[in-house]
Amino acid sequence: CVRILFGDSVKYLDKFRTCARIRPINNQKLGSEFYEKESTKPLFTKHELLTVENLYRHRCIMEMFKTVKSHVPISLFSLFQLSTRKDNLMITPKPTNQFVYKSAWLWNEFRKTSTLTFSSRFSAVKNSVKNSIFSAQSKYGTEWNELNFTEF
């Protein structure tokens, strides 16, 4: 149960009050409001958690940044191409679902909203990426929106 996982004990205990033995005889039938799904977005926002999709985007950018900045491992670094025309942008290979394309594309998208470069400190990039992704994830009300997983 999500209520147990995030420690919302009041709502968790309230759920047990819906048992037929506890409800008054006139309220034995549960209406449609009982079966409504609750959105998890407020919990993610309250506890400042990233969704799985956004964790993946965060890790892709950070692994690519570490590889390009430190040139290690060299076999992976050789797959990335830095742009000679525009500093701190990557030349993306042919679109695929592979790590090299995804991470280079995500870096370029992130750079549209950030001034960080490959000479920036790792901790600064890590915090900036996480804050940017989290702020995009928190937009658009209490229901999930496709843009929560694509914007920075």
Side-chain angles (χ1 to χ4, degrees):
C1 181
V2 176
R3 292 183 180 114
I4 295 172
L5 182 66
F6 293 107
D8 194 349
S9 60
V10 174
K11 286 188 178 180
Y12 176 71
L13 292 173
D14 188 44
K15 196 72 167 174
F16 286 116
R17 292 193 189 108
T18 61
C19 179
R21 285 177 273 163
I22 294 184
R23 289 190 311 259
I25 195 95
N26 297 336
N27 297 334
Q28 291 295 319
K29 289 188 177 181
L30 298 175
S32 61
E33 67 277 351
F34 177 78
Y35 297 103
E36 285 183 11
K37 291 184 178 180
E38 297 174 343
S39 177
T40 56
K41 189 173 180 182
L43 291 173
F44 279 88
T45 303
K46 177 182 174 185
H47 297 286
E48 297 182 2
L49 298 171
L50 292 176
T51 62
V52 173
E53 294 96 336
N54 287 332
L55 277 173
Y56 173 76
R57 292 175 357 146
H58 180 264
R59 293 304 306 162
C60 276
I61 291 172
M62 295 315 303
E63 291 301 320
M64 186 274 312
F65 181 79
K66 282 195 295 190
T67 302
V68 171
K69 185 173 175 103
S70 64
H71 297 233
V72 175
I74 194 68
S75 59
L76 188 57
F77 173 72
S78 63
L79 297 175
F80 290 108
Q81 290 182 324
L82 292 171
S83 174
T84 55
R85 196 168 51 103
K86 293 184 177 180
D87 288 344
N88 300 301
L89 288 180
M90 306 292 294
I91 297 175
T92 56
K94 183 174 60 172
T96 63
N97 284 329
Q98 294 179 350
F99 171 73
V100 175
Y101 170 75
K102 285 285 193 183
S103 58
W105 181 81
L106 285 169
W107 173 258
N108 290 342
E109 291 297 309
F110 171 67
R111 284 282 296 133
K112 291 177 182 177
T113 62
S114 174
T115 59
L116 295 174
T117 66
F118 287 115
S119 60
S120 301
R121 292 180 330 163
F122 180 77
S123 60
V125 173
K126 184 177 180 180
N127 288 334
S128 180
V129 169
K130 184 176 179 183
N131 292 337
S132 178
I133 290 174
F134 183 74
S135 69
Q137 176 182 295
S138 300
K139 292 180 185 175
Y140 307 111
T142 58
E143 296 297 321
W144 292 110
N145 186 320
E146 184 64 32
L147 296 174
N148 292 135
F149 311 109
T150 56
E151 289 184 346
F152 282 99

